[in-house]
Amino acid sequence: MSVPDYSSVWEQLAQPGGKIVLLVLDGAGGLPFPGVNKSALEAARTPNLDALAASASCGMLEMVGPGITPGSGPGHLALFGYEPLSHQLGRGVLSALGVGFGLQEGDVAARINFATRDRAGRITDRRAGRIPNEVNERLCRSIREQVKLEFEGEYFLFTESQHRAVLILRGPGLGGNIGDTDPQKTGVPPLQAQPTAPDSEKSAAVVRQFVEKAHGALAGETPANTLLLRGFERYKAFPTLAQRFKLNGLCIAQYPMYRGVSRLLGMDVAEPPPLKVQGTMECLVDRIDDGHDFFFVHIKGTDSAGEDGDFDAKVATIEEVDKYLPLVSNLNAEVFAVAADHSTPAVMQGHSWHPVPALIRSRFARVDEVRRFSEDACVHGSLGLRPATHLMGLLLAHAGRLKKFGA
């Protein structure tokens, strides 16, 4: 049975109302870790998150559908009320918008990982040891200086963060239907860029040319001596949160990709980006009364630690969030919500399909029996297990931003 898309009804009912704060702990969901037998959320000491859960409606969100492992883009689109199966978007566009590049209709963008390969051409590290930004910037500059592409158009290359960069192709007749060159595992060579539809044969040929010449520019580099590309997409505009739900949004996020999805949906973005968890929370304090009425606050460290298989670091990041939560949990907002965009179990070292815990606190919330913000507790909450796209409707309703439906 298909899940109804209620968002068109929310659009009809949307009205001005109270402020909403949505705190997203990226990849916070998990699984029991060997030797600990608890997830990171279950193992972390979180008295403030737990107190928040005890005063809220809690539940679990399924980000896309049963068994479907979401990328960060689909996960966030779902949280913002955009059905991810009908609003599909490659990671490259989000990365380009995240670094502040002014995309034009028809541009094709892809996310890049600087990576490490051995003498046989096999990938040994898909993230090149998470090289620092300054090394990434030097590598991008070297490629821009040395690599000239032969096609009717131009390319742009920018640092995103650590090992990640973004490639944009601009020119006539370019398609975004290109398969990833990232095989998503080590011990094998990178894949060749291949079109997945006839409209993208030209684009794929340009990408292959770029990769070959970029390898020449990276010759002798350690550890970043190869490139992996994924998330190809041809840019087109999306309907904004203001157009759909009458929300004037502000994104507070350190990592560029999440700033990109926010720009895609018409949100303003806090500049300069906040530093670490404390800076993120303090930025919200500073901006809460600045005229915006929807605040998207993003924490990245939980996801990065999960992808690295570092259970202790993931626990530590959750505890750091809990430490600074009192700065923001009682600000002037009608609704305060906490969720994740997907699970990233450290035991799996990657995203997974497992539902994530969520809470909604408002004076209209039905407080349930949940007393901890964790998977094992929130599964018993009054919100139950529901599609992540439901969250936006619930936030709007709890903030008094939806009129009555029907007579």
Side-chain angles (χ1 to χ4, degrees):
M1 179 184 298
S2 63
V3 177
D5 183 358
Y6 298 105
S7 63
S8 61
V9 182
W10 304 334
E11 292 174 16
Q12 298 169 21
L13 303 180
Q15 64 181 1
K19 296 176 187 174
I20 300 168
V21 174
L22 174 58
L23 173 62
V24 177
L25 308 183
D26 199 302
L31 293 171
F33 195 75
V36 181
N37 297 323
K38 294 180 178 180
S39 74
L41 280 170
E42 293 162 2
R45 295 180 295 274
T46 54
N48 296 308
L49 274 168
D50 296 344
L52 195 61
S55 64
S57 297
C58 300
M60 302 289 287
L61 303 178
E62 190 167 60
M63 303 314 299
V64 179
I68 300 175
T69 297
S72 294
H76 279 84
L77 287 175
L79 293 176
F80 298 142
Y82 292 71
E83 168 52 57
L85 295 179
S86 57
H87 290 89
Q88 297 189 39
L89 185 69
R91 183 73 175 253
V93 163
L94 301 181
S95 293
L97 292 170
V99 301
F101 183 80
L103 285 173
Q104 299 177 7
E105 290 276 348
D107 286 353
V108 173
R111 172 183 163 180
I112 290 175
N113 270 23
F114 283 108
T116 307
R117 62 175 179 168
D118 61 20
R119 292 183 178 179
R122 296 170 300 212
I123 302 163
T124 59
D125 185 343
R126 292 179 52 249
R127 301 181 180 93
R130 294 191 184 274
I131 56 175
N133 285 4
E134 53 268 26
V135 174
N136 186 315
E137 290 166 356
R138 177 179 62 78
L139 295 176
C140 285
R141 185 167 57 249
S142 177
I143 292 172
R144 288 195 301 265
E145 291 172 352
Q146 297 183 54
V147 173
K148 309 301 178 186
L149 299 183
E150 298 174 6
F151 80 110
E152 186 183 356
E154 57 186 329
Y155 82 91
F156 307 89
L157 179 68
F158 298 101
T159 296
E160 187 173 6
S161 180
Q162 295 182 321
H163 57 286
R164 299 183 179 100
V166 57
L167 171 71
I168 303 103
L169 303 178
R170 175 173 292 169
L174 298 176
N177 296 301
I178 304 171
D180 295 348
T181 73
D182 184 353
Q184 297 284 328
K185 59 183 179 181
T186 58
V188 296
L191 303 172
Q192 272 213 334
Q194 298 293 345
T196 57
D199 70 346
S200 301
E201 292 181 0
K202 176 181 178 181
S203 304
V206 174
V207 172
R208 291 194 295 269
Q209 181 188 164
F210 170 78
V211 171
E212 180 181 358
K213 293 186 175 182
H215 278 159
L218 295 173
E221 292 286 348
T222 302
N225 60 3
T226 192
L227 300 171
L228 304 175
L229 290 85
R230 61 189 176 102
F232 288 91
E233 185 71 35
R234 190 172 188 267
Y235 174 67
K236 61 181 179 180
F238 267 45
T240 68
L241 288 175
Q243 292 167 337
R244 299 189 72 204
F245 308 132
K246 294 183 171 58
L247 290 173
N248 179 18
L250 177 70
C251 162
I252 302 174
Q254 182 180 11
Y255 196 78
M257 201 285 293
Y258 310 97
R259 299 157 69 82
V261 71
S262 299
R263 289 190 174 106
L264 180 74
L265 304 184
M267 292 189 226
D268 294 327
V269 174
E271 300 289 357
L275 297 176
K276 300 184 179 179
V277 172
Q278 181 179 357
T280 299
M281 301 298 195
E282 290 174 345
C283 183
L284 177 60
V285 174
D286 293 340
R287 301 296 298 268
I288 193 67
D289 292 318
D290 71 353
H292 294 89
D293 51 28
F294 178 74
F295 298 85
F296 160 48
V297 184
H298 181 267
I299 303 296
K300 176 63 175 173
T302 37
D303 180 56
S304 299
E307 288 186 333
D308 289 343
D310 193 335
F311 181 81
D312 292 340
K314 186 169 181 178
V315 169
T317 301
I318 293 168
E319 292 180 346
E320 186 180 12
V321 170
D322 191 79
K323 174 183 176 181
Y324 293 108
L325 189 64
L327 290 176
V328 299
S329 57
N330 292 304
L331 293 174
N332 176 30
E334 188 66 33
V335 176
F336 193 95
V338 183
D341 61 329
H342 54 76
S343 291
T344 308
V347 69
M348 295 178 67
Q349 297 186 38
H351 296 194
S352 78
W353 61 91
H354 300 90
V356 302
L359 67 82
I360 300 173
R361 190 196 66 187
S362 117
R363 62 192 180 101
F364 300 121
R366 180 174 288 164
V367 177
D368 50 39
E369 298 302 314
V370 175
R371 294 296 177 266
R372 271 188 57 77
F373 186 71
S374 61
E375 298 91 345
D376 61 347
C378 288
V379 73
H380 301 292
S382 59
L383 297 179
L385 171 64
R386 61 178 61 242
T389 49
H390 287 189
L391 181 66
M392 177 54 76
L394 292 169
L395 297 180
L396 294 168
H398 280 85
R401 302 185 71 99
L402 293 180
K403 295 178 287 188
K404 184 175 69 171
F405 174 71

